[in-house]
Amino acid sequence: MEKMEAAEKATCRSVDNFNPLITTIFQVSCILVISHMFHILLKPLGQPGPFAQLLAGVVVGPTLLSRIRRVEDFFIQASSAEYYMFFSFLCRMLFMFSIGLETDIPYLKRNIRVVSIVAGGGIILASICAAPLLWLLIKVFTVTKSRFPFYLLIFTVLANSASPVVIRMIAESKFDNADLGRLAIYSSLISEMSCVAFVATLTACSSTIRLVGAIIATLVTVLLIFLNNYLPFFFNKRNRHNRFLTNSELFLIIFILLAISLLVESAGYTAITCCFLAGLMFPREGKTCRTLLHKLTYAVNTFVLPVYFGYTGFQFNISKIFNKLTLILTVLIILLSAGTKIVATLAACYYLKIPRNESLILSFLLNMKGNYDLIIINSPPVPKMLWENDIHDLFLSVVVLKTLILASVVAIWLNRGEFCAHYPTTLEILNPESELRMLACAYIPRHVSGYLSLISALSGCPNATLNPYVAHLVELPKKKKSKLMYHQLEDGDQYSDDEEYGGNDVVQITNALDSFISETKIPAHEAKIVSSFLTINQDVCNGAVDLRVSIIVLPFHKHQRVDGKMENSMEGIRTINQKVIRHAPCSVGIFLDRGQTGFQQPHGSLSVQNIATFFFGGPDDREALACSKRILMHSQVSLTVFRFIQSNSSIQNSWISDASHKDEEVVMAISSIGTENEMDNVFVDTFCNRYVAQGKASLIEKYVSDGAETLVALRGILDNMYSLVIVGKGGRANSSLTIGMSDWEECPELGLVGDLLASSEMNFNGSLLVIQQHRHSEEDEALIPP
């Protein structure tokens, strides 16, 4: 009787009752709507987008809504599977290309050993554990043919880490700029690409036809990479006066990617490696890459990935695991798969000396499933072959259930915040040879030229990495609604007027960055913050936390005229600077660029530029000296450090002799001064031993007793040709070295010495960088997400 009902149902489904394209589009719409609803409801509970999207697919699929006969007849038809597979292919192609474009190649080069060990441990252990599981499942399902592809299926389910799931979970947790987050992202990528290469290699060696297909897939992939290396340069020249490419040019790039991907798929291999490599090898400089990132990032995160994850959940049918044997096997494979990844990752992290708590969260993140393993489940690596329904349903249930369970656990873990701390927030504690992340804020194109010179100097250390972000700060005007419909816009225009904020300044800043990246090969990132000037300081501080930068560089609110006098550039900049300095989650620098007479870009320059650093003592001056350590490594820079020392020690502590002070306060003040003196001496001694003794920098000591002698010494120093002076904002509190200098203070945000150097009376034509070290306080900690 059951066989007759099944036959009748199959006969009914042999003919489509509805247009499959309409049902597919409607299903996609349902998944998007329900996933967004779930995301809104579950986000306050800390659950990530992939969890909500998988859950939406489960709800729409045979587990819940599609159990209703009419819904099932509408969604699940004879030819609908082909449409679903094609939509999955399009989604997979776009997000793998996007992942390749966003890959941080310098980080991957620096950490390829660590990433490979973490990913390789899981792959090796999975290949071993797959053998006994293969023996068990062969006995259970009586597999007599295609045992080798069956082993590849088991291996992939055990070893693979779904990079799209890992990337979205980490990105939504604002964890993608942390070292642990990046390690998880690139370990999952290496793991997934290694699984693809392993399966493809073994499949190609199985027969001559498969080997020919592998050669064809390789050749067309090389062709795609070759085209992608030449088309962007042509499009960049064609749109030199625009910020983005036109829609037709963008469509041509996507069409070529689609055509090559279809050729690879027709050869019998998955195109995810082809698309990823195309994005990875895509030229980063210029308007073409910027347009692709701008267009694809929003589309992939908002539509493509939700549909892809939703369709994964849609395939799952919970009624298929109600069988006792199937349930036991599902639990067994989930435990074996999770245990394999956890043990292998913990062992690799122990070898690499990664902390235990970070190792554990990394092992859970690498347990995410739902990309290449689904391809093997739905399309076995053998032509015209399909898995038995029991095998297909078993492994599909393992992938969906494991991802749903572990995604919710990992999300709760990440939201505890112990892995997302904003660190380091100062340059003093940062190793000079480690990565430096900085955020430079510009209002007008004139600010950018000075920043690029500073970025060029900071990137001089061959062993260190600079990761600069240049943010264009634009005042939010009153909203103006466009009367044009989308189809009435000119080709390449944006329907949203957000992209028009900033006017022609946006194009000039973009062109300056493009030229700089092309000349220096330094990957400077461009960003834009559009906000009211009353609250833009909060956006800057929040951006610094999200990007995990160690220093924010702001422009001085004045600029130098042709006659050498200083005048205000824009109203409101000074107030914004003061707010950022007060609430910044990291160190802050204020940069005064004096144009042609100031600091110039060292890259490509034939002349050596002289830089001076003034050291009076205190945390801000130590931060300025830490910044100087980065700059002096550039071959076209000559650094001289001037240390100002109290010539009469009896005067140094005279300020604490006031009879109104209590004894306890005097003791605390003396102790504080002693501690600061010790820290200054240790820091300067370390600098001398490492740089001065090796001839990389010079140190000159200036003995002065009060502010008047300090002023005379400064005038004498500035008579020399220094194109840049670096100084700390505060110096040492209540120091007698600066007594009397506050009488003509005009800009307190620069400190006493910085304000003096910025004034027109000093007759100093070089650029100036004033740095304030980050102070840890309750108010600052409130800006850092828990």
Side-chain angles (χ1 to χ4, degrees):
M1 188 69 181
E2 292 179 358
K3 292 183 179 180
M4 292 178 62
E5 291 179 359
E8 183 180 354
K9 187 179 290 187
T11 304
C12 294
R13 287 181 182 170
S14 63
V15 179
D16 294 332
N17 297 324
F18 302 93
N19 189 326
L21 182 61
I22 295 176
T23 61
T24 304
I25 294 174
F26 191 77
Q27 183 208 46
V28 167
S29 303
C30 289
I31 289 175
L32 285 174
V33 172
I34 296 176
S35 66
H36 283 297
M37 290 173 58
F38 280 159
H39 191 46
I40 293 172
L41 295 173
L42 297 174
K43 190 175 182 180
L45 302 177
Q47 296 305 314
F51 178 83
Q53 291 145 13
L54 271 171
L55 197 59
V58 172
V59 169
V60 176
T63 299
L64 194 61
L65 290 181
S66 291
R67 294 183 69 88
I68 304 172
R69 183 60 182 272
R70 291 186 178 180
V71 177
E72 181 185 14
D73 292 341
F74 183 73
F75 281 148
I76 305 174
Q77 301 186 67
S79 59
S80 60
E82 298 177 1
Y83 287 85
Y84 295 150
M85 295 298 290
F86 182 72
F87 269 91
S88 296
F89 162 73
L90 289 179
C91 294
R92 201 160 51 238
M93 178 198 72
L94 289 174
F95 70 65
M96 291 307 298
F97 180 66
S98 177
I99 288 173
L101 278 176
E102 295 176 350
T103 298
D104 189 348
I105 298 177
Y107 174 86
L108 199 55
K109 288 181 178 179
R110 293 194 314 271
N111 299 277
I112 187 64
R113 172 181 170 271
V114 176
V115 171
S116 299
I117 290 174
V118 173
I123 293 173
I124 293 172
L125 189 57
S127 63
I128 297 173
C129 294
L133 185 58
L134 172 67
W135 176 83
L136 174 63
L137 295 180
I138 284 176
K139 297 294 184 181
V140 172
F141 294 108
T142 319
V143 179
T144 58
K145 297 180 180 179
S146 303
R147 292 186 175 182
F148 178 66
F150 194 36
Y151 170 79
L152 294 181
L153 169 65
I154 297 172
F155 163 76
T156 305
V157 172
L158 294 182
N160 183 62
S161 298
S163 55
V165 182
V166 176
I167 290 171
R168 285 313 306 156
M169 287 191 62
I170 291 176
E172 291 192 11
S173 301
K174 296 185 178 180
F175 187 41
D176 50 335
N177 288 310
D179 289 339
L180 182 60
R182 290 189 289 180
L183 177 59
I185 288 173
Y186 295 113
S187 296
S188 66
L189 270 173
I190 294 294
S191 174
E192 189 156 56
M193 294 301 112
S194 300
C195 288
V196 175
F198 180 76
V199 173
T201 302
L202 294 181
T203 304
C205 296
S206 62
S207 66
T208 306
I209 297 177
R210 301 295 287 170
L211 181 60
V212 172
I215 294 173
I216 294 174
T218 303
L219 290 177
V220 296
T221 301
V222 172
L223 174 63
L224 178 61
I225 295 173
F226 177 80
L227 289 174
N228 282 342
N229 280 330
Y230 284 93
L231 275 178
F233 296 109
F234 171 73
F235 289 147
N236 290 342
K237 290 181 180 179
R238 195 164 180 255
N239 296 274
R240 62 170 61 92
H241 300 300
N242 301 321
R243 191 180 181 212
F244 295 111
L245 267 62
T246 62
N247 292 332
S248 57
E249 292 165 338
L250 180 66
F251 176 77
L252 177 61
I253 295 174
I254 300 298
F255 176 78
I256 293 174
L257 179 68
L258 173 63
I260 299 294
S261 300
L262 285 173
L263 283 175
V264 174
E265 294 275 343
S266 64
Y269 294 88
T270 178
I272 62 173
T273 304
C274 171
C275 295
F276 173 73
L277 290 177
L280 185 68
M281 304 297 290
F282 203 90
R284 296 297 196 270
E285 61 270 8
K287 300 170 176 59
T288 306
C289 184
R290 182 185 306 109
T291 305
L292 286 169
L293 286 173
H294 176 75
K295 298 280 189 179
L296 287 180
T297 300
Y298 178 78
V300 166
N301 295 337
T302 308
F303 300 105
V304 174
L305 283 176
V307 171
Y308 186 76
F309 295 146
Y311 178 62
T312 302
F314 179 84
Q315 299 175 72
F316 172 64
N317 188 351
I318 197 170
S319 63
K320 299 293 184 180
I321 64 171
F322 284 159
N323 181 282
K324 185 176 181 180
L325 178 61
T326 307
L327 181 61
I328 293 174
L329 289 175
T330 302
V331 174
L332 175 64
I333 297 175
I334 289 176
L335 292 177
L336 180 62
S337 174
T340 300
K341 275 289 183 183
I342 291 173
V343 171
T345 305
L346 290 178
C349 291
Y350 178 79
Y351 172 75
L352 296 169
K353 298 180 180 179
I354 297 175
R356 187 177 301 173
N357 57 341
E358 295 184 3
S359 305
L360 198 57
I361 191 67
L362 182 61
S363 64
F364 274 79
L365 280 168
L366 294 181
N367 261 298
M368 298 295 109
K369 306 293 180 182
N371 190 26
Y372 183 59
D373 39 22
L374 283 176
I375 297 175
I376 298 296
I377 291 171
N378 292 319
S379 303
V382 175
K384 299 179 181 179
M385 173 188 170
L386 293 175
W387 300 115
E388 294 291 336
N389 290 336
D390 292 343
I391 297 176
H392 177 275
D393 294 338
L394 171 65
F395 284 99
L396 182 63
S397 301
V398 168
V399 168
V400 175
L401 290 176
K402 184 182 178 184
T403 304
L404 283 173
I405 294 170
L406 292 183
S408 59
V409 174
V410 170
I412 295 172
W413 208 338
L414 287 178
N415 287 322
R416 291 170 56 187
E418 58 184 289
F419 306 103
C420 305
H422 182 199
Y423 178 88
T425 57
T426 63
L427 302 180
E428 182 182 354
I429 62 176
L430 189 66
N431 190 321
E433 295 184 353
S434 61
E435 182 188 40
L436 171 62
R437 304 175 70 88
M438 65 176 290
L439 175 64
C441 301
Y443 295 89
I444 52 179
R446 182 172 60 241
H447 297 154
V448 175
S449 59
Y451 288 155
L452 296 181
S453 301
L454 188 61
I455 290 170
S456 174
L458 286 169
S459 63
C461 182
N463 297 324
T465 301
L466 179 66
N467 207 342
Y469 294 84
V470 179
H472 183 198
L473 307 186
V474 182
E475 184 177 12
L476 180 67
K478 292 183 179 180
K479 199 74 174 178
K480 295 181 179 179
K481 293 184 177 180
S482 176
K483 295 182 180 180
L484 296 178
M485 300 297 289
Y486 182 82
H487 66 277
Q488 294 175 310
L489 296 175
E490 295 182 5
D491 190 23
D493 286 351
Q494 304 296 317
Y495 183 67
S496 172
D497 57 358
D498 290 351
E499 289 302 320
E500 297 178 0
Y501 293 151
N504 193 46
D505 289 350
V506 177
V507 178
Q508 293 183 38
I509 291 174
T510 298
N511 290 337
L513 279 173
D514 288 343
S515 300
F516 175 77
I517 295 171
S518 178
E519 292 173 7
T520 64
K521 305 303 179 185
I522 299 173
H525 308 280
E526 183 184 5
K528 185 163 68 171
I529 300 176
V530 182
S531 180
S532 168
F533 272 10
L534 295 176
T535 58
I536 201 169
N537 61 292
Q538 299 175 9
D539 296 323
V540 172
C541 293
N542 292 334
V545 173
D546 293 342
L547 297 173
R548 301 185 189 282
V549 300
S550 298
I551 184 170
I552 302 171
V553 183
L554 302 169
F556 190 48
H557 65 277
K558 294 183 179 181
H559 70 276
Q560 183 171 283
R561 301 186 311 200
V562 178
D563 59 1
K565 300 295 182 180
M566 303 295 292
E567 71 174 2
N568 288 332
S569 298
M570 292 175 61
E571 294 296 332
I573 292 183
R574 183 180 183 185
T575 304
I576 295 171
N577 289 352
Q578 291 171 342
K579 289 180 180 179
V580 172
I581 289 174
R582 192 158 52 245
H583 300 291
C586 60
S587 296
V588 179
I590 295 183
F591 187 66
L592 169 58
D593 179 33
R594 284 195 165 98
Q596 296 298 322
T597 62
F599 187 59
Q600 304 300 314
Q601 181 177 315
H603 272 86
S605 176
L606 299 177
S607 60
V608 176
Q609 297 191 71
N610 296 318
I611 298 177
T613 299
F614 297 155
F615 189 89
F616 292 86
D620 292 346
D621 283 10
R622 291 197 299 271
E623 193 76 357
L625 188 56
C627 180
S628 303
K629 288 194 295 186
R630 291 266 180 173
I631 294 178
L632 67 85
M633 301 304 295
H634 201 287
S635 58
Q636 298 302 109
V637 166
S638 175
L639 176 69
T640 303
V641 178
F642 294 91
R643 186 180 187 186
F644 292 81
I645 303 175
Q646 180 68 48
S647 61
N648 187 357
S649 59
S650 63
I651 303 176
Q652 185 173 358
N653 297 326
S654 61
W655 63 273
I656 63 172
S657 62
D658 190 347
S660 62
H661 289 176
K662 296 182 180 180
D663 293 342
E664 292 83 357
E665 294 175 345
V666 173
V667 171
M668 290 176 62
I670 295 175
S671 175
S672 176
I673 292 175
T675 303
E676 286 291 337
N677 278 331
E678 292 177 3
M679 295 177 66
D680 291 341
N681 292 333
V682 170
F683 197 76
V684 173
D685 289 344
T686 304
F687 176 81
C688 290
N689 294 332
R690 185 166 184 176
Y691 301 104
V692 178
Q694 298 181 13
K696 298 179 180 178
S698 302
L699 177 67
I700 300 175
E701 295 181 341
K702 293 287 185 178
Y703 290 88
V704 294
S705 59
D706 54 21
E709 292 188 10
T710 300
L711 181 58
V712 173
L714 289 175
R715 291 186 185 276
I717 293 171
L718 296 178
D719 286 341
N720 298 319
M721 296 299 294
Y722 290 106
S723 60
L724 174 65
V725 170
I726 305 174
V727 65
K729 175 195 170 187
R732 184 173 297 143
N734 302 307
S735 173
S736 59
L737 299 177
T738 55
I739 289 177
M741 294 177 62
S742 60
D743 296 343
W744 54 79
E745 185 178 32
E746 182 182 357
C747 301
E749 65 270 19
L750 296 180
L752 295 177
V753 178
D755 183 42
L756 187 65
L757 296 175
S759 64
S760 304
E761 287 73 14
M762 283 298 291
N763 195 27
F764 171 55
N765 294 322
S767 299
L768 174 66
L769 177 62
V770 181
I771 299 179
Q772 172 186 282
Q773 189 179 77
H774 175 236
R775 268 70 158 170
H776 292 277
S777 64
E778 294 181 0
E779 188 175 7
D780 294 330
E781 294 295 335
L783 288 170
I784 302 175

